[in-house]
Amino acid sequence: MALDEKAVRERVAAFLAEHDPAGDRLEFLRARFDAGLAWVHFPEGLGGLGAARELQNVVEQELAGTPQINPGLQTIGLGMAAPTILAFGTEGQRRRFLRPLWTGEEIWCQLFSEPGAGSDLATLGTRAVRDGDEWVVDGQKVWTSGAHHSRWAILVARTDVDVPKHRGMTYFVCDMQAPGVEVRPLRQITGEAEFNEVFLTGVRLGDDLRLGEVGDGWRVAQTTLMNERVAIGGAPVKRGGGVVGLVSETWRSRPELRTHDLHQRLLRLWVEAEVTRLAGTRLREQLSAGQPGPEGSGMKLAFASLNQALSGLDVELRGEEGLTYDDWTFRRSDTVDFFGRGAGYRYLRAKGNSIEGGTSEILRNIVAERVLGLPSEPRVDKDVPWKDLPR
Protein backbone atom coordinates (compact mmCIF):
# COMPACT_ATOMS: atom_id res chain seq x y z
CA MET A 1 0.00 0.00 0.00
CA ALA A 2 1.40 3.37 -1.03
CA LEU A 3 2.22 5.81 1.75
CA ASP A 4 0.18 9.00 1.98
CA GLU A 5 0.98 12.32 3.62
CA LYS A 6 -0.41 11.24 7.00
CA ALA A 7 1.70 8.09 7.05
CA VAL A 8 4.85 10.03 6.19
CA ARG A 9 4.22 12.54 8.96
CA GLU A 10 3.79 9.66 11.38
CA ARG A 11 7.10 8.19 10.21
CA VAL A 12 8.84 11.50 10.84
CA ALA A 13 7.27 11.85 14.28
CA ALA A 14 8.40 8.34 15.22
CA PHE A 15 11.90 9.11 13.96
CA LEU A 16 12.16 12.31 16.00
CA ALA A 17 10.93 10.48 19.09
CA GLU A 18 13.97 8.21 18.84
CA HIS A 19 16.64 10.62 17.58
CA ASP A 20 17.54 13.93 19.20
CA PRO A 21 18.30 16.65 16.60
CA ALA A 22 20.47 18.39 19.19
CA GLY A 23 22.84 15.43 19.31
CA ASP A 24 25.63 14.47 16.93
CA ARG A 25 24.89 15.90 13.48
CA LEU A 26 26.38 13.07 11.44
CA GLU A 27 24.70 10.36 13.49
CA PHE A 28 21.37 12.16 13.07
CA LEU A 29 21.80 12.30 9.28
CA ARG A 30 22.80 8.65 9.12
CA ALA A 31 19.75 7.69 11.14
CA ARG A 32 17.52 9.82 8.90
CA PHE A 33 18.84 7.97 5.85
CA ASP A 34 18.29 4.61 7.50
CA ALA A 35 14.72 5.64 8.37
CA GLY A 36 13.97 6.27 4.70
CA LEU A 37 13.65 10.03 5.14
CA ALA A 38 16.58 11.07 2.94
CA TRP A 39 14.73 10.94 -0.40
CA VAL A 40 11.37 9.25 0.09
CA HIS A 41 10.95 8.19 -3.56
CA PHE A 42 14.04 5.95 -3.37
CA PRO A 43 13.50 2.28 -2.42
CA GLU A 44 13.40 1.17 1.21
CA GLY A 45 16.86 0.43 2.53
CA LEU A 46 18.41 2.99 0.22
CA GLY A 47 17.34 6.15 1.99
CA GLY A 48 13.73 6.07 0.87
CA LEU A 49 10.27 4.68 1.46
CA GLY A 50 9.24 3.91 -2.10
CA ALA A 51 6.76 6.79 -1.77
CA ALA A 52 5.68 9.53 -4.16
CA ARG A 53 8.40 12.10 -4.86
CA GLU A 54 6.24 15.05 -3.82
CA LEU A 55 6.03 13.69 -0.26
CA GLN A 56 9.64 14.80 0.20
CA ASN A 57 8.22 18.28 0.78
CA VAL A 58 6.33 16.92 3.79
CA VAL A 59 9.54 15.46 5.21
CA GLU A 60 11.42 18.72 4.74
CA GLN A 61 8.66 20.68 6.49
CA GLU A 62 8.59 18.32 9.45
CA LEU A 63 12.38 18.23 9.79
CA ALA A 64 12.97 21.96 9.36
CA GLY A 65 15.31 23.15 12.10
CA THR A 66 17.09 19.80 12.41
CA PRO A 67 20.61 19.06 11.08
CA GLN A 68 20.62 19.39 7.29
CA ILE A 69 22.78 18.26 4.40
CA ASN A 70 24.83 20.82 2.46
CA PRO A 71 23.12 21.09 -0.96
CA GLY A 72 25.79 23.40 -2.36
CA LEU A 73 28.72 21.15 -1.53
CA GLN A 74 26.75 18.00 -2.38
CA THR A 75 25.03 19.15 -5.58
CA ILE A 76 26.76 16.71 -7.94
CA GLY A 77 26.41 13.76 -5.61
CA LEU A 78 22.75 14.39 -4.81
CA GLY A 79 21.54 15.62 -8.17
CA MET A 80 23.64 13.56 -10.61
CA ALA A 81 25.52 10.65 -9.08
CA ALA A 82 22.75 9.33 -6.84
CA PRO A 83 20.02 8.93 -9.49
CA THR A 84 22.55 7.33 -11.85
CA ILE A 85 23.74 4.88 -9.22
CA LEU A 86 20.14 4.04 -8.39
CA ALA A 87 19.28 3.44 -12.05
CA PHE A 88 22.37 1.49 -13.13
CA GLY A 89 24.26 0.42 -10.02
CA THR A 90 24.37 -3.08 -8.61
CA GLU A 91 22.81 -3.67 -5.22
CA GLY A 92 26.29 -3.66 -3.70
CA GLN A 93 27.14 -0.33 -5.36
CA ARG A 94 23.92 1.24 -4.16
CA ARG A 95 24.51 0.18 -0.57
CA ARG A 96 28.16 1.20 -0.69
CA PHE A 97 27.76 4.67 -2.13
CA LEU A 98 24.32 6.16 -1.46
CA ARG A 99 24.40 6.56 2.32
CA PRO A 100 27.74 8.42 2.67
CA LEU A 101 26.86 10.38 -0.48
CA TRP A 102 23.65 11.67 1.10
CA THR A 103 25.10 12.38 4.54
CA GLY A 104 27.97 14.31 2.98
CA GLU A 105 30.68 12.02 4.33
CA GLU A 106 31.82 11.51 0.74
CA ILE A 107 31.68 14.36 -1.79
CA TRP A 108 31.35 13.67 -5.52
CA CYS A 109 32.46 15.41 -8.71
CA GLN A 110 31.84 14.80 -12.42
CA LEU A 111 34.54 13.80 -14.91
CA PHE A 112 32.76 14.32 -18.24
CA SER A 113 34.02 17.32 -20.25
CA GLU A 114 37.46 17.33 -21.87
CA PRO A 115 39.52 20.01 -23.64
CA GLY A 116 38.43 18.52 -26.98
CA ALA A 117 35.03 17.22 -25.93
CA GLY A 118 32.83 19.82 -24.30
CA SER A 119 29.63 20.50 -26.19
CA ASP A 120 30.07 17.26 -28.14
CA LEU A 121 30.74 15.01 -25.17
CA ALA A 122 30.57 11.84 -27.30
CA THR A 123 33.91 12.70 -28.92
CA LEU A 124 35.74 12.29 -25.60
CA GLY A 125 39.15 10.65 -25.77
CA THR A 126 39.96 9.57 -22.21
CA ARG A 127 40.75 5.86 -22.57
CA ALA A 128 39.96 2.97 -20.25
CA VAL A 129 41.72 -0.27 -21.17
CA ARG A 130 40.81 -3.51 -19.47
CA ASP A 131 43.53 -5.36 -17.58
CA GLY A 132 42.03 -8.45 -15.96
CA ASP A 133 39.59 -7.34 -13.26
CA GLU A 134 40.76 -3.74 -13.53
CA TRP A 135 40.58 -0.85 -15.99
CA VAL A 136 43.55 1.43 -16.63
CA VAL A 137 42.43 4.99 -17.33
CA ASP A 138 44.45 7.71 -19.08
CA GLY A 139 43.24 11.13 -20.14
CA GLN A 140 42.31 14.65 -19.11
CA LYS A 141 39.05 16.14 -17.88
CA VAL A 142 38.23 19.80 -17.46
CA TRP A 143 35.72 22.17 -15.79
CA THR A 144 35.39 19.71 -12.91
CA SER A 145 33.55 21.48 -10.11
CA GLY A 146 34.70 20.53 -6.62
CA ALA A 147 37.32 17.98 -7.69
CA HIS A 148 39.68 19.35 -5.03
CA HIS A 149 37.47 18.18 -2.18
CA SER A 150 35.86 15.11 -3.75
CA ARG A 151 36.24 11.51 -2.67
CA TRP A 152 34.57 10.00 -5.75
CA ALA A 153 33.75 11.00 -9.31
CA ILE A 154 31.40 9.85 -12.01
CA LEU A 155 33.54 9.20 -15.08
CA VAL A 156 32.85 8.44 -18.73
CA ALA A 157 35.77 6.98 -20.69
CA ARG A 158 36.28 5.41 -24.12
CA THR A 159 36.67 1.65 -24.08
CA ASP A 160 36.27 0.90 -27.82
CA VAL A 161 37.74 3.06 -30.58
CA ASP A 162 36.50 0.86 -33.44
CA VAL A 163 32.82 1.79 -33.15
CA PRO A 164 31.00 5.14 -33.64
CA LYS A 165 31.56 7.64 -30.87
CA HIS A 166 28.29 7.10 -28.98
CA ARG A 167 28.75 3.33 -28.78
CA GLY A 168 32.30 3.00 -27.47
CA MET A 169 32.03 4.57 -24.02
CA THR A 170 31.73 3.03 -20.57
CA TYR A 171 30.70 4.66 -17.31
CA PHE A 172 32.72 4.31 -14.09
CA VAL A 173 32.93 5.49 -10.53
CA CYS A 174 36.44 6.94 -10.15
CA ASP A 175 38.37 6.92 -6.91
CA MET A 176 39.73 10.46 -6.63
CA GLN A 177 42.36 9.27 -4.16
CA ALA A 178 43.74 6.60 -6.49
CA PRO A 179 47.37 6.88 -7.65
CA GLY A 180 47.59 8.78 -10.94
CA VAL A 181 44.76 11.25 -10.23
CA GLU A 182 46.02 14.85 -10.30
CA VAL A 183 43.76 17.85 -9.68
CA ARG A 184 44.84 21.33 -10.81
CA PRO A 185 42.85 24.51 -10.09
CA LEU A 186 41.35 26.64 -12.85
CA ARG A 187 41.16 30.26 -11.74
CA GLN A 188 37.95 31.81 -12.98
CA ILE A 189 36.89 35.32 -13.83
CA THR A 190 35.57 35.64 -10.26
CA GLY A 191 39.07 35.11 -8.86
CA GLU A 192 38.13 31.76 -7.34
CA ALA A 193 38.89 28.22 -8.47
CA GLU A 194 35.78 26.15 -7.92
CA PHE A 195 36.54 24.44 -11.27
CA ASN A 196 39.51 22.20 -11.92
CA GLU A 197 41.24 20.20 -14.59
CA VAL A 198 41.90 16.58 -13.72
CA PHE A 199 44.69 14.47 -15.19
CA LEU A 200 44.33 10.68 -15.12
CA THR A 201 47.58 8.79 -15.64
CA GLY A 202 47.50 5.03 -15.37
CA VAL A 203 44.62 5.17 -12.89
CA ARG A 204 43.49 1.66 -11.97
CA LEU A 205 39.79 1.13 -11.28
CA GLY A 206 38.31 -2.22 -10.37
CA ASP A 207 35.58 -3.58 -12.60
CA ASP A 208 33.30 -3.37 -9.56
CA LEU A 209 33.45 0.42 -10.07
CA ARG A 210 31.80 0.16 -13.50
CA LEU A 211 28.20 1.41 -13.77
CA GLY A 212 26.17 -0.31 -16.48
CA GLU A 213 27.43 -2.54 -19.26
CA VAL A 214 30.69 -2.11 -21.14
CA GLY A 215 30.03 0.16 -24.13
CA ASP A 216 26.75 1.46 -22.69
CA GLY A 217 28.27 4.58 -21.16
CA TRP A 218 26.40 7.03 -23.36
CA ARG A 219 23.01 5.73 -22.21
CA VAL A 220 24.10 5.81 -18.58
CA ALA A 221 25.47 9.34 -19.04
CA GLN A 222 22.13 10.53 -20.39
CA THR A 223 20.56 9.74 -17.04
CA THR A 224 23.23 11.85 -15.34
CA LEU A 225 22.90 14.74 -17.79
CA MET A 226 19.10 14.91 -17.65
CA ASN A 227 19.19 14.91 -13.85
CA GLU A 228 21.98 17.50 -13.90
CA ARG A 229 19.89 19.94 -15.92
CA VAL A 230 16.92 19.53 -13.60
CA ALA A 231 19.21 20.00 -10.58
CA ILE A 232 20.61 23.24 -12.03
CA GLY A 233 17.54 24.74 -13.66
CA GLY A 234 14.60 23.19 -11.82
CA ALA A 235 15.48 23.72 -8.16
CA PRO A 236 12.55 24.89 -6.00
CA VAL A 237 12.31 28.67 -5.65
CA LYS A 238 9.63 30.64 -3.81
CA ARG A 239 7.72 33.36 -5.61
CA GLY A 240 9.91 36.43 -5.89
CA GLY A 241 12.91 34.47 -4.64
CA GLY A 242 16.33 33.82 -6.10
CA VAL A 243 18.26 36.53 -7.92
CA VAL A 244 15.11 38.40 -8.93
CA GLY A 245 14.40 38.81 -5.22
CA LEU A 246 17.80 40.41 -4.65
CA VAL A 247 17.29 42.86 -7.51
CA SER A 248 13.74 43.66 -6.37
CA GLU A 249 14.93 44.36 -2.83
CA THR A 250 17.54 46.82 -4.16
CA TRP A 251 14.82 48.51 -6.22
CA ARG A 252 12.53 48.87 -3.19
CA SER A 253 15.20 50.10 -0.78
CA ARG A 254 17.09 52.46 -3.12
CA PRO A 255 14.56 54.76 -4.82
CA GLU A 256 17.34 57.14 -5.89
CA LEU A 257 18.61 54.48 -8.31
CA ARG A 258 15.36 54.08 -10.21
CA THR A 259 14.72 55.04 -13.83
CA HIS A 260 11.79 54.31 -16.11
CA ASP A 261 13.83 52.05 -18.39
CA LEU A 262 15.25 50.04 -15.51
CA HIS A 263 11.74 49.66 -14.11
CA GLN A 264 10.45 48.23 -17.39
CA ARG A 265 13.34 45.75 -17.55
CA LEU A 266 12.76 44.65 -13.97
CA LEU A 267 9.05 44.09 -14.61
CA ARG A 268 9.75 41.97 -17.69
CA LEU A 269 12.35 39.91 -15.86
CA TRP A 270 10.09 39.46 -12.82
CA VAL A 271 7.40 38.01 -15.09
CA GLU A 272 9.97 35.79 -16.79
CA ALA A 273 11.25 34.61 -13.42
CA GLU A 274 7.74 33.73 -12.30
CA VAL A 275 7.01 31.82 -15.51
CA THR A 276 10.28 29.94 -15.10
CA ARG A 277 9.48 29.15 -11.47
CA LEU A 278 6.04 27.78 -12.36
CA ALA A 279 7.51 25.76 -15.21
CA GLY A 280 9.99 24.30 -12.74
CA THR A 281 7.15 23.35 -10.40
CA ARG A 282 5.39 21.59 -13.26
CA LEU A 283 8.58 19.78 -14.22
CA ARG A 284 9.09 18.50 -10.67
CA GLU A 285 5.51 17.23 -10.63
CA GLN A 286 6.19 15.35 -13.86
CA LEU A 287 9.25 13.80 -12.24
CA SER A 288 7.01 12.10 -9.68
CA ALA A 289 5.99 9.76 -12.51
CA GLY A 290 9.56 8.75 -13.43
CA GLN A 291 12.95 9.90 -14.67
CA PRO A 292 13.50 13.38 -16.12
CA GLY A 293 13.31 13.81 -19.86
CA PRO A 294 14.56 16.42 -22.33
CA GLU A 295 12.28 19.07 -20.82
CA GLY A 296 14.94 19.61 -18.17
CA SER A 297 17.19 21.04 -20.88
CA GLY A 298 14.64 23.77 -21.48
CA MET A 299 14.57 24.60 -17.78
CA LYS A 300 18.32 24.81 -17.56
CA LEU A 301 18.42 26.98 -20.70
CA ALA A 302 15.85 29.37 -19.22
CA PHE A 303 17.68 29.46 -15.88
CA ALA A 304 20.98 30.48 -17.51
CA SER A 305 19.45 33.23 -19.65
CA LEU A 306 17.40 34.62 -16.77
CA ASN A 307 20.28 34.58 -14.29
CA GLN A 308 22.57 36.44 -16.66
CA ALA A 309 19.94 39.06 -17.47
CA LEU A 310 19.08 39.62 -13.81
CA SER A 311 22.70 39.85 -12.66
CA GLY A 312 23.36 42.36 -15.44
CA LEU A 313 20.39 44.46 -14.38
CA ASP A 314 21.57 44.26 -10.78
CA VAL A 315 24.94 45.78 -11.72
CA GLU A 316 23.38 48.53 -13.86
CA LEU A 317 20.83 49.42 -11.21
CA ARG A 318 23.57 50.04 -8.65
CA GLY A 319 25.47 52.44 -10.93
CA GLU A 320 29.08 53.08 -9.93
CA GLU A 321 28.55 50.94 -6.84
CA GLY A 322 27.81 47.99 -9.13
CA LEU A 323 31.33 48.19 -10.58
CA THR A 324 32.97 47.42 -7.24
CA TYR A 325 34.07 43.89 -6.39
CA ASP A 326 34.15 42.45 -2.90
CA ASP A 327 37.05 40.00 -2.96
CA TRP A 328 39.50 38.95 -5.70
CA THR A 329 41.37 36.58 -3.39
CA PHE A 330 42.39 33.37 -5.11
CA ARG A 331 40.89 30.45 -3.19
CA ARG A 332 39.56 26.96 -3.71
CA SER A 333 35.90 27.62 -2.97
CA ASP A 334 33.60 24.90 -1.71
CA THR A 335 30.33 26.20 -3.13
CA VAL A 336 28.86 28.82 -5.46
CA ASP A 337 27.64 31.66 -3.25
CA PHE A 338 25.20 33.73 -5.29
CA PHE A 339 23.51 35.26 -2.26
CA GLY A 340 26.36 35.85 0.17
CA ARG A 341 28.49 37.81 -2.28
CA GLY A 342 28.08 41.15 -4.04
CA ALA A 343 26.46 42.11 -7.34
CA GLY A 344 29.80 42.05 -9.18
CA TYR A 345 30.42 38.45 -8.19
CA ARG A 346 26.92 37.40 -9.29
CA TYR A 347 27.38 39.12 -12.64
CA LEU A 348 30.71 37.42 -13.37
CA ARG A 349 29.73 34.00 -12.01
CA ALA A 350 26.49 33.95 -14.00
CA LYS A 351 28.53 33.90 -17.21
CA GLY A 352 29.29 30.27 -16.46
CA ASN A 353 25.61 29.34 -16.28
CA SER A 354 25.35 29.07 -20.07
CA ILE A 355 28.28 26.63 -20.18
CA GLU A 356 28.04 24.37 -17.13
CA GLY A 357 25.54 21.54 -17.30
CA GLY A 358 25.43 21.71 -21.09
CA THR A 359 26.04 24.75 -23.28
CA SER A 360 23.02 26.80 -24.28
CA GLU A 361 23.67 25.99 -27.94
CA ILE A 362 23.47 22.24 -27.31
CA LEU A 363 20.42 22.62 -25.10
CA ARG A 364 18.63 24.52 -27.86
CA ASN A 365 19.31 21.58 -30.16
CA ILE A 366 17.87 19.18 -27.60
CA VAL A 367 14.76 21.28 -27.11
CA ALA A 368 14.29 21.67 -30.86
CA GLU A 369 14.72 18.00 -31.71
CA ARG A 370 13.46 16.11 -28.66
CA VAL A 371 10.81 18.46 -27.28
CA LEU A 372 9.49 20.27 -30.36
CA GLY A 373 10.14 17.41 -32.78
CA LEU A 374 11.97 19.53 -35.36
CA PRO A 375 14.31 17.84 -37.89
CA SER A 376 17.76 17.12 -36.52
CA GLU A 377 20.88 18.73 -37.89
CA PRO A 378 22.90 16.64 -40.38
CA ARG A 379 25.52 14.55 -38.56
CA VAL A 380 28.21 13.26 -40.89
CA ASP A 381 30.10 11.44 -38.12
CA LYS A 382 27.20 9.39 -36.82
CA ASP A 383 28.35 6.05 -38.25
CA VAL A 384 32.10 6.70 -38.40
CA PRO A 385 34.35 4.78 -35.97
CA TRP A 386 35.79 7.06 -33.31
CA LYS A 387 39.38 6.33 -34.35
CA ASP A 388 38.65 7.70 -37.85
CA LEU A 389 37.18 11.02 -36.68
CA PRO A 390 39.30 14.10 -37.44
CA ARG A 391 40.90 15.59 -34.35
Side-chain angles (χ1 to χ4, degrees), residues 205-261:
L205 303 176
D207 192 53
D208 59 341
L209 293 177
R210 171 171 50 83
L211 281 183
E213 300 299 322
V214 175
D216 200 27
W218 182 252
R219 185 168 71 96
V220 182
Q222 290 308 298
T223 296
T224 303
L225 293 171
M226 288 187 292
N227 279 284
E228 177 182 29
R229 286 152 193 171
V230 172
I232 294 175
V237 179
K238 66 180 181 180
R239 185 179 185 185
V243 178
V244 73
L246 293 174
V247 181
S248 298
E249 178 56 33
T250 301
W251 178 269
R252 296 187 189 100
S253 62
R254 304 284 298 278
E256 73 278 8
L257 302 175
R258 302 173 187 172
T259 69
H260 174 74
D261 289 342

Side-chain angles (χ1 to χ4, degrees), residues 32-168:
R32 177 176 167 180
F33 182 94
D34 294 340
L37 301 175
W39 32 48
V40 297
H41 59 288
F42 273 41
E44 292 189 47
L46 298 175
L49 300 171
R53 187 185 294 257
E54 59 264 23
L55 291 175
Q56 187 68 38
N57 293 329
V58 176
V59 174
E60 301 303 334
Q61 292 168 8
E62 294 294 308
L63 292 179
T66 67
Q68 300 292 314
I69 59 177
N70 185 333
L73 190 61
Q74 298 173 241
T75 295
I76 293 173
L78 297 171
M80 301 160 216
T84 308
I85 293 169
L86 180 64
F88 292 96
T90 64
E91 188 62 23
Q93 289 170 333
R94 294 173 180 177
R95 294 193 177 278
R96 164 61 186 87
F97 292 121
L98 289 178
R99 188 181 191 239
L101 180 158
W102 188 82
T103 61
E105 294 170 77
E106 295 178 343
I107 304 301
W108 289 66
C109 63
Q110 181 182 9
L111 299 176
F112 276 31
S113 294
E114 298 181 8
S119 297
D120 188 2
L121 178 63
T123 61
L124 63 84
T126 293
R127 294 291 307 280
V129 178
R130 190 152 197 170
D131 182 18
D133 292 332
E134 293 183 319
W135 295 84
V136 181
V137 183
D138 290 277
Q140 180 187 356
K141 298 292 183 175
V142 75
W143 310 125
T144 307
S145 301
H148 52 289
H149 53 231
S150 293
R151 175 65 181 82
W152 298 99
I154 44 180
L155 163 71
V156 184
R158 187 158 305 282
T159 51
D160 190 344
V161 300
D162 295 317
V163 297
K165 58 184 182 180
H166 291 90
R167 288 166 32 201

